[in-house]
Amino acid sequence: MIAVDQLGKRYGRIAALDGLSFEIKKGGVAALVGGNGAGKSTVLRILSTLTAPTDGDAVVCGYDVVQDALDVRRRIGYLAENTPLYGDQRVVDFLRFRAALKGVAKGERRERVQEVIRQCSLQGVERRRIATLSRGFQKRVGLADALVHLPEVLLLDEPMVGLDAVQVPAVRELIGSLAGRHTVLFTTHSREEAEAVCRQVLHLQRGRLVTAAPPVPRTPASGGIYLEIRGDHEAICQGINALAGVRRVETAGEGDGRWHRLVIRTDVGRDVRPDLFALAANHQWVIREIRLEEGDPCADS
Amino acid sequence: MRRFLILWRRELQLCFLTPVGYFQTAVFLFLSGSLLAWKLMAGAFDLSSIPAILFSSVFFWLVVLATCSMLTMRLVAEERTAGTWDLLMTAPIHEGQIVAAKFMGALTVFVVMSLPILAVPFFLRACGVTAGEIDGGPLAGAALILFWVGAFFIAVGTLLSCLTRSQAIAGIGALTVNGVLFFWGAFPIRSAVFAEGGPALVMDPAHYVQAFASGFIDSRPLIVLALGGLLVLFFAVQAIQWQRFRTFSETLNLGMALVLALGLMSLGVILAHRHYRLADWTRSHRYSLSEKTLRILKNMTERVEVTFVCRPHYTVYGDLRRLLMQYGDHGPTLHLEWVDPDRDPGRVEELLAQDAAVRSEAVVFKSPTQVRTVVLDDLLQSVSEEGGAFHPRAPTGLAAEETFTAALLAVTEPVKPVVYFLMGHGEVALDDYHPERGYSTLARLLRSDHLELKPLLLGELAQIPPDAAALVIGGPTHRLARNALTAIAEYLNRSGRLLLLTDSGVVTGLESLLEDWGVRMNHDRVISKPLLAGVGDALAGARGVGVTRELELTRLGDHPITGPLQGMLITLYQPRTLTPLGGVGTDAAGAVDKPRITVLASAGEESWAETDFQQTPPNFDPETDRRGPAPVAVAIERGPAGWVAMGLQPTRLVVIGDSHFAANGRVGGGNQDLARSSLHWLLQRDFILGPSPRLGGSLPRVLEGRQRTLVLVALVVGFPGCALLWGVLVGWFRRRV
Ligand SMILES: Nc1ncnc2c1ncn2[C@@H]1O[C@H](COP(=O)(O)OP(=O)(O)O)[C@@H](O)[C@H]1O
Ligand SMILES: [Mg+2]
């Protein structure tokens, strides 16, 4: 269903993708895993015809993404990384508009829209304007949009980011359930998430596929906890440093706005996560993401 | 197509379901409304000229320019920055559909926005402004060119919005590109492609925009703008497709496609300039050549070279050029040439060598035998002296057509017919400037018809000069001398031509002569009731006179003289009635010696022939007076009909029961045409019959006190205020629901 052969994409002197080849069978679910800047989004943008590769071929549903862009577009549902949506529209109106645009027959439109609203648990917010929804809901609206015309191929860029703890499993389940009827390729930076959903996991590093490393033990043995937290940066660093078992706190990449991205290096075998939660609760810091480090999450950034 | 409609609707939603579109509309209406209000306050206008008044303002077009840029800058750039562009580009839609929908969306909004400003004439009429009538033609022309130019602006704006992520750059870019194209006027190809001799592009927008708004339609700017717009949109589609690749080879492809499209467009532009149409959409056919000019052009057999030597900055360059182009369209033997003396001094030298006085701006008419030059400064001078007949609204220029046609006649007619005006019996004089009793204006008009006019004092000489092409007896006040009468009778018998204008209450001695020719001149005068009874009664109450001495001729006969004048306003001043003897109309063709009499005009039923000259006020007395209709002008012809027998010439007479109608003060409008056509028919100059060039329309008016306030408030506050209010309501409603 998706066949990628020696795919390359250069942005000037930067090679975002380099000799990438893989194949996804019809009805299969595959995940692209890699750190920031690994090239995941670039693969999906090429497959969704948004950008053309500089080398190699990509074929979706038997159509070349460069030559037969329109045929490819007819058969794909694409969820962009940052989930752009028309904020001025209501959820149902947006989905109806998109269904119409994607050629869902008039008679089926209402039914399809209701179906994806149910699938993506959007009941209750259908009449809200998209701009007023939270990120998580917006992501789900984007997902609903990708699904609304029952595309043969689904290309989902970071579908789980921004969802709350309850939603993540639900979306995982949803993606899992799409297998068979749809061919799904989604990206994530979390290997466990990928492994939780599908068997075909493609590891991407600096634009190349790498053979999957053996699963890492699920303890903080490797010595790091990745944390996204909101609050006063100074206070946070001080507070965490003071926790027993913490060796040091590193800033991991740029924070967005008031969110700070930290990597906490701990003593081997020491799990400081319960202490962290307690600390955050005490100071009313908000934790957005917390996970055990595997490899280096910000290798390329 | 379906997807196009969906996207188009979405664009409209964005504008009209959010307050933004209404605010933009309000700003547009405020700026253009204020401008229009200011212009309407400043001077006289009539309802039909409102579009032209508005469109003549550079400021208005700046507002249009800014509005179009504002409408287009967000189209693609905004979606790019928001990322929603990816939503469109991954849906199964062709880039062309997206561009078309974006373009049409903005255009629709622009059309909706500008409709109120075009409706202003209707609004003014509803407010009771009575200056003239609304003319659908100029209004339609204004709408057409506004939307057409707007569409071009929007196409350019759409392209620029496709090229950049920044709305600001897209907006400023559109403003600049459109501004340069629009205000610099002519595209550079004007000089590049058609440097010498070829059809120059008429692409000066300041010129054609004004023309359209005055009801003068030209296919060329429409086609050039349409082709240009399509090219720009095509380029926009190509640019979007290119953005997927951004590689060198794709750029090369894009460039080649563009060059090809540009070539095709240039070809289209050239074809559009070779085969173009002009149309006059005004109700009064203000910009069409007069029937008379058309007839002259159609009957011309000689080749005439018309050279327009004029700098493009000359005040009335465009108007005169347009006028001459119409001559060219209708005159198959006419050859037009445009010479800019600054660019082509050599050609000017050549013309000077051919006796053409082209030291300043001029039009040279040159037939194989004769040359005549109309110096434009003189033309404008004479026009302004005569009270500004060269109306800024009349691109043809009344005087210009008269003068050009006269020049054409002069170079094509081998001999100038000589017309004698009998003098010595109180006749109206040719050089008399008196408004009531002077023919100086008529004389000027007739001279411009290529006639030589001479006064004729018979005195001892008892013969009409042999070179007389016609004799005019205009309003004698005493009895004609016996020898004059014999001379006239004799003249008529040898195929003479006589125009007799004879007033009521005068005994001229020509009565018995005319009876020989089958017409009796009655001793009476026509008194008529005003057509508007109500107004008449009011006047009667005020002045004690229930009647009018002005007779509006509404019944014109079917004759070469009066046929083309149907519907024109011709007024006689209490004329005498004429009675054709022995039946009216044309007898069998065999009766060559019997005069054929045609009634040219009759007084209507509402009038009567008053026989009592002393009665004041005149009153209808059934015993003595006769009710209308009664003939007041007749044409008489004896002998072979005009063109049939070559050797034998017919005798022709035109008798009109009034001489005042052709006097200086009255000879405007249809009156001059009656006089001129009568003479031309007598001279068998059929090619020159018909109404002369004239300026249609009504008198411009100035707004009165209450109307001023109303117009000011409505245009500056009312229209934009409505849009604003609507926008606020929409915003409020959106928040609610
Ligand atoms: N439009 C672009 N111009 C230049 N470089 C880009 C562009 N898009 C992506 N890149 C580069 O390509 C690489 C891969 O990016 P991306 O596919 O977004 O990574 P990921 O989604 O895996 O985080 C990065 O180094 C990024 O900087
Ligand atoms: Mg990415």
Side-chain angles (χ1 to χ4, degrees):
Chain A
M1 215 9 82
I2 300 176
V4 171
D5 184 28
Q6 291 298 318
L7 203 63
K9 176 77 187 178
R10 313 191 121 266
Y11 290 106
R13 290 175 54 212
I14 305 168
L17 295 179
D18 188 6
L20 197 65
S21 303
F22 64 84
E23 204 169 311
I24 302 169
K25 294 261 164 352
K26 185 177 165 84
V29 177
L32 269 174
V33 183
N36 290 338
K40 307 181 294 291
S41 297
T42 305
V43 173
L44 257 59
R45 287 177 65 82
I46 290 175
L47 292 177
S48 62
T49 76
L50 282 174
T51 177
T54 40
D55 285 304
D57 301 308
V59 174
V60 176
C61 305
Y63 294 99
D64 187 275
V65 292
V66 178
Q67 305 302 325
D68 317 311
L70 216 54
D71 290 302
V72 172
R73 286 175 198 174
R74 261 189 265 279
R75 291 167 176 81
I76 56 164
Y78 171 70
L79 171 69
E81 187 171 12
N82 47 0
T83 333
L85 300 166
Y86 292 118
D88 65 296
Q89 280 187 315
R90 293 168 204 288
V91 173
V92 255
D93 294 339
F94 172 74
L95 291 175
R96 286 212 188 114
F97 164 65
R98 294 292 295 169
L101 208 54
K102 291 169 171 186
V104 176
K106 202 162 190 164
E108 299 166 25
R109 238 174 264 166
R110 175 181 293 270
E111 196 185 317
R112 280 302 308 153
V113 168
Q114 285 313 317
E115 169 72 11
V116 289
I117 283 177
R118 199 188 47 69
Q119 275 182 318
C120 301
S121 321
L122 287 167
Q123 301 98 324
V125 298
E126 309 111 290
R127 305 285 318 155
R128 292 263 299 275
R129 284 192 196 288
I130 292 174
T132 66
L133 296 179
S134 68
R135 283 296 291 171
F137 270 110
Q138 290 190 357
K139 193 110 228 170
R140 282 186 261 161
V141 173
L143 206 57
D145 165 39
L147 283 166
V148 75
H149 56 305
L150 283 172
E152 290 173 49
V153 171
L154 272 166
L155 303 167
L156 311 175
D157 205 349
E158 314 264 4
M160 260 78 96
V161 166
L163 298 182
D164 61 30
V166 189
Q167 272 304 314
V168 173
V171 170
R172 268 186 205 158
E173 207 168 294
L174 173 64
I175 293 175
S177 73
L178 295 172
R181 274 194 300 163
H182 307 267
T183 308
V184 185
L185 175 61
F186 72 98
T187 71
T188 171
H189 47 246
S190 153
R191 174 170 165 176
E192 48 205 286
E193 205 162 80
E195 279 165 357
V197 178
C198 60
R199 249 171 288 144
Q200 189 179 2
V201 178
L202 305 155
H203 288 267
L204 210 55
Q205 213 169 55
R206 293 190 179 145
R208 291 164 198 261
L209 276 187
V210 292
T211 28
V216 192
R218 315 294 314 142
T219 57
S222 50
I225 295 170
Y226 176 79
L227 181 69
E228 288 187 26
I229 190 165
R230 196 172 70 188
D232 181 54
H233 188 257
E234 287 283 294
I236 291 171
C237 290
Q238 273 181 15
I240 296 175
N241 262 323
L243 289 179
V246 172
R247 280 209 224 132
R248 63 177 191 277
V249 181
E250 297 164 359
T251 306
E254 295 270 301
D256 56 337
R258 290 167 306 153
W259 293 101
H260 308 293
R261 296 193 176 135
L262 306 174
V263 175
I264 301 162
R265 301 289 171 197
T266 57
D267 296 332
V268 175
R270 185 77 184 243
D271 192 353
V272 297
R273 287 182 289 183
D275 301 339
L276 266 178
F277 278 114
L279 185 71
N282 267 343
H283 290 80
Q284 295 192 321
W285 299 328
V286 186
I287 293 180
R288 183 162 73 172
E289 177 141 7
I290 184 163
R291 66 166 189 265
L292 294 178
E293 274 267 87
E294 40 190 313
D296 189 354
C298 346
D300 292 306
S301 61
Chain B
M1 189 62 195
R2 214 184 58 240
R3 294 197 164 91
F4 162 77
L5 290 177
I6 294 165
L7 284 174
W8 183 34
R9 223 184 60 190
R10 165 82 189 133
E11 287 298 317
L12 295 188
Q13 264 179 8
L14 263 179
C15 259
F16 290 121
L17 294 185
T18 62
V20 186
Y22 296 95
F23 294 154
Q24 284 179 343
T25 309
V27 172
F28 175 76
L29 288 180
F30 172 73
L31 290 176
S32 49
S34 307
L35 172 75
L36 186 57
W38 176 62
K39 292 231 161 195
L40 294 185
M41 301 288 132
F45 65 93
D46 76 32
L47 289 178
S48 69
S49 64
I50 289 177
I53 290 176
L54 184 63
F55 280 32
S56 67
S57 160
V58 170
F59 180 73
F60 173 72
W61 290 100
L62 276 177
V63 172
V64 170
L65 209 64
T67 304
C68 288
S69 307
M70 216 159 59
L71 287 176
T72 52
M73 64 183 192
R74 50 157 207 85
L75 285 182
V76 179
E78 188 184 56
E79 296 225 39
R80 278 264 171 77
T81 33
T84 47
W85 186 242
D86 290 355
L87 285 178
L88 293 180
M89 297 308 289
T90 51
I93 321 161
H94 192 271
E95 288 84 353
Q97 284 174 313
I98 300 179
V99 168
K102 297 259 167 202
F103 166 78
M104 279 307 290
L107 181 59
T108 314
V109 174
F110 175 67
V111 168
V112 172
M113 264 179 156
S114 45
L115 279 181
I117 207 75
L118 290 172
V120 165
F122 296 97
F123 170 76
L124 288 182
R125 191 177 59 183
C127 292
V129 176
T130 50
E133 280 175 60
I134 294 174
D135 192 343
L139 211 55
L144 179 67
I145 198 65
L146 177 62
F147 300 152
W148 215 270
V149 169
F152 181 80
F153 287 173
I154 287 171
V156 170
T158 309
L159 168 66
L160 283 158
S161 190
C162 287
L163 293 183
T164 169
R165 279 170 172 270
S166 153
Q167 289 193 49
I169 293 179
I172 293 170
L175 206 63
T176 318
V177 173
N178 282 325
V180 166
L181 288 182
F182 191 71
F183 290 109
W184 260 4
F187 290 131
I189 33 178
R190 174 171 170 172
S191 48
V193 180
F194 306 113
E196 298 288 327
L201 286 171
V202 188
M203 275 309 295
D204 182 4
H207 169 170
Y208 65 72
V209 152
Q210 179 76 1
F212 272 73
S214 323
F216 186 84
I217 310 303
D218 183 342
S219 69
R220 282 166 296 184
L222 294 183
I223 291 185
V224 171
L225 282 173
L227 283 175
L230 283 178
L231 177 77
V232 163
L233 290 180
F234 169 78
F235 185 42
V237 175
Q238 297 297 311
I240 291 175
Q241 287 174 343
W242 172 85
Q243 276 155 357
R244 277 180 69 203
F245 300 95
R246 295 173 186 275
T247 58
F248 178 70
S249 62
E250 282 300 316
T251 314
L252 211 66
N253 278 347
L254 179 67
M256 260 148 51
L258 203 67
V259 167
L260 199 71
L262 208 65
L264 279 175
M265 182 196 148
S266 308
L267 201 70
V269 168
I270 293 174
L271 282 178
H273 278 73
R274 291 262 156 84
H275 309 279
Y276 62 92
R277 291 270 172 284
L278 302 175
D280 176 3
W281 284 7
T282 56
R283 195 182 300 158
S284 53
H285 299 289
R286 190 184 292 155
Y287 308 114
S288 304
L289 293 177
S290 64
E291 270 177 61
K292 183 164 140 183
T293 303
L294 291 180
R295 200 183 282 250
I296 291 171
L297 285 171
K298 210 173 76 196
N299 288 305
M300 239 170 48
T301 48
E302 275 178 90
R303 179 188 158 97
V304 176
E305 285 166 21
V306 181
T307 316
F308 185 47
V309 184
C310 191
R311 289 171 182 83
H313 317 292
Y314 194 68
T315 22
V316 288
Y317 177 86
D319 294 343
L320 293 184
R321 190 187 160 108
R322 197 149 56 209
L323 174 64
L324 285 175
M325 278 183 328
Q326 290 192 60
Y327 274 82
D329 287 346
H330 293 285
T333 62
L334 219 60
H335 292 262
L336 299 178
E337 185 191 354
W338 318 107
V339 176
D340 179 348
D342 291 339
R343 287 196 182 190
D344 201 354
R347 182 80 185 102
V348 175
E349 288 301 321
E350 238 174 85
L351 288 166
L352 281 169
Q354 293 169 0
D355 279 349
V358 288
R359 292 256 169 249
S360 65
E361 265 72 14
V363 184
V364 182
F365 296 84
K366 182 170 174 287
S367 72
T369 49
Q370 299 181 63
V371 180
R372 188 156 285 227
T373 312
V374 177
V375 177
L376 298 186
D377 284 339
D378 295 351
L379 176 68
L380 293 188
Q381 181 75 25
S382 74
V383 162
S384 60
E385 273 165 13
E386 265 160 46
F390 204 104
H391 200 285
R393 264 172 35 224
T396 57
L398 188 57
E401 188 187 336
E402 285 269 12
T403 315
F404 292 167
T405 303
L408 263 185
L409 269 181
V411 296
T412 49
E413 239 185 351
V415 281
K416 206 174 193 178
V418 183
V419 177
Y420 283 94
F421 278 69
L422 189 68
M423 301 306 296
H425 316 93
E427 288 96 339
V428 187
L430 282 173
D431 51 2
D432 190 344
Y433 287 88
H434 193 277
E436 307 281 317
R437 288 206 54 88
Y439 279 172
S440 62
T441 306
L442 180 66
R444 180 179 57 76
L445 295 172
L446 291 177
R447 289 197 181 103
S448 81
D449 283 344
H450 203 225
L451 294 176
E452 186 165 350
L453 310 181
K454 289 184 181 169
L456 175 65
L457 262 169
L458 277 175
E460 302 307 308
L461 197 77
Q463 203 199 9
I464 308 296
D467 66 337
L471 175 69
V472 178
I473 306 176
T477 49
H478 348 292
R479 217 183 150 80
L480 266 59
R482 184 174 302 277
N483 63 342
L485 289 173
T486 1
I488 292 164
E490 189 262 341
Y491 171 64
L492 287 180
N493 278 329
R494 50 178 174 96
S495 306
R497 310 293 162 87
L498 174 66
L499 174 61
L500 174 60
L501 313 176
T502 166
D503 294 315
S504 51
V506 180
V507 179
T508 57
L510 286 162
E511 288 77 7
S512 65
L513 177 69
L514 268 231
E515 284 196 21
D516 291 347
W517 287 91
V519 172
R520 187 171 64 226
M521 295 196 281
N522 299 309
H523 190 66
D524 57 13
R525 52 177 179 157
V526 174
I527 304 291
S528 68
K529 274 243 154 39
L531 287 172
L532 296 168
V535 178
D537 291 346
L539 285 175
R543 290 201 218 144
V545 186
V547 294
T548 167
R549 286 150 211 264
E550 297 272 354
L551 177 68
E552 274 187 28
L553 293 183
T554 47
R555 309 160 145 258
L556 296 179
D558 180 20
H559 187 272
I561 298 175
T562 42
L565 306 184
Q566 298 289 351
M568 303 191 62
L569 181 66
I570 302 174
T571 47
L572 302 187
Y573 181 74
Q574 52 179 15
R576 66 169 17 165
T577 62
L578 308 164
T579 310
L581 305 169
V584 180
T586 312
D587 277 356
V592 167
D593 274 346
K594 195 155 186 266
R596 294 182 294 277
I597 301 168
T598 314
V599 173
L600 296 179
S602 314
E605 282 100 353
E606 75 289 347
S607 63
W608 72 91
E610 176 67 57
T611 48
D612 185 353
F613 280 82
Q614 253 59 54
Q615 195 176 41
T616 42
N619 194 17
F620 178 67
D621 305 303
E623 297 92 68
T624 52
D625 301 343
R626 278 181 306 112
R627 267 262 166 239
V632 291
V634 295
I636 307 167
E637 183 173 30
R638 194 183 70 180
W643 305 101
V644 183
M646 299 309 285
L648 281 172
Q649 291 294 318
T651 300
R652 283 182 170 181
L653 290 87
V654 171
V655 185
I656 300 176
D658 173 36
S659 72
H660 305 93
F661 82 95
N664 297 332
R666 299 173 195 266
V667 79
N671 285 14
Q672 57 154 307
D673 290 322
L674 181 60
R676 291 165 96 173
S677 288
S678 298
L679 203 54
H680 294 316
W681 177 74
L682 290 175
L683 296 169
Q684 288 176 309
R685 295 171 113 204
D686 288 22
F687 58 88
I688 201 172
L689 291 176
S692 313
R694 70 196 54 253
L695 192 67
S698 48
L699 277 180
R701 299 257 169 87
V702 183
L703 286 177
E704 296 152 16
R706 278 226 348 262
Q707 291 172 344
R708 288 175 80 90
T709 326
L710 196 60
V711 167
L712 196 66
V713 169
L715 288 183
V716 179
V717 184
F719 281 26
C722 284
L724 205 62
L725 193 70
W726 198 277
V728 170
L729 279 180
V730 165
W732 181 75
F733 205 66
R734 265 175 62 88
R735 194 128 340 137
R736 275 296 164 114
V737 181

